[in-house]
Amino acid sequence: MLRSGRSFPYALLMPATIAMLALVMFPLGYSFWLAFRNMSLYHFRDHRFVGLENFELILREPVFYALLVKSVVWTVVNVCFHVTLGVLLAVLLKGPVRGKTVIRTLLVLPWAMPAYISALTWRGMFNYEYGAINLILTQWFHLPAVPWLSHPVWAFVAPILTNIWLGFPFMMVSIMAGIQTIP
């Protein structure tokens, strides 16, 4: 108990507050400040206030809109699949399923595995000649091999598939926790 008689020691919040200010708020504020300046390697020491000029330059770039569309597609597709697969698997695993513990463990593995290891594994599976995905497509389904990492469209689809695989287990575990607490 503090000298003031309060039961909650607010002084213990100060380190966390200082850390949040230093690690989140300062970089956010500094980025906002830089957005209105002509800071670059050419103007590193003598940058000046330019107002909305940086934003006008960005909006004039045609590639900006293509990247904006890709960002929206990435977000919508990943969120939809993460939530849909997470809810579906959580509901399926709530009922009586034989080997529920083993299935749950296998489904959580993508989330538990380090992302770097997963990325390297998926890069190997997306290999044009020897990747597991193209071998399955060509040998089992008699479809042509897909240039996953060399064609622009497929090079966008491949990371989406990888991110879906990496992300749905977290949503499944979160929804399973919520389902189990509902009477």
Side-chain angles (χ1 to χ4, degrees):
M1 209 187 253
L2 297 175
R3 281 190 245 161
S4 64
R6 295 183 181 160
S7 61
F8 185 76
Y10 290 102
L12 294 177
L13 291 177
M14 286 308 293
T17 304
I18 291 169
M20 288 294 290
L21 287 172
L23 297 174
V24 176
M25 298 310 289
F26 174 74
L28 185 66
Y30 186 65
S31 298
F32 184 76
W33 182 75
L34 284 178
F36 298 100
R37 305 189 73 75
N38 69 340
M39 169 72 99
S40 69
L41 290 177
Y42 298 115
H43 304 285
F44 191 72
R45 298 242 187 245
D46 61 338
H47 53 89
R48 61 181 173 75
F49 181 78
V50 293
L52 296 174
E53 185 179 318
N54 290 335
F55 297 98
E56 291 170 1
L57 288 172
I58 290 171
L59 293 175
R60 277 191 245 137
E61 287 288 328
V63 73
F64 169 75
Y65 296 101
L67 293 174
L68 180 65
V69 168
K70 279 190 174 185
S71 296
V72 169
V73 168
W74 171 276
T75 303
V76 168
V77 168
N78 278 296
V79 168
C80 287
F81 275 98
H82 288 174
V83 172
T84 304
L85 286 174
V87 169
L88 180 70
L89 291 170
V91 170
L92 287 175
L93 288 174
K94 180 174 176 18
V97 177
R98 288 175 48 189
K100 185 188 297 190
T101 307
V102 174
I103 293 170
R104 202 180 306 165
T105 303
L106 290 174
L107 288 173
V108 171
L109 275 178
W111 180 49
M113 189 181 303
Y116 184 73
I117 303 297
S118 297
L120 289 177
T121 303
W122 277 93
R123 187 180 74 176
M125 291 192 324
F126 283 127
N127 185 293
Y128 183 75
E129 292 181 66
Y130 307 110
I133 296 172
N134 275 341
L135 289 176
I136 290 170
L137 289 175
T138 56
Q139 293 178 2
W140 292 3
F141 299 108
H142 306 290
L143 295 170
V146 177
W148 292 106
L149 303 176
S150 59
H151 189 274
V153 172
W154 294 112
F156 183 62
V157 171
I160 288 177
L161 294 174
T162 304
N163 195 49
I164 290 170
W165 183 80
L166 285 169
F168 81 85
F170 175 74
M171 189 63 66
M172 180 191 72
V173 168
S174 300
I175 293 170
M176 279 174 41
I179 288 175
Q180 290 175 355
T181 59
I182 297 171

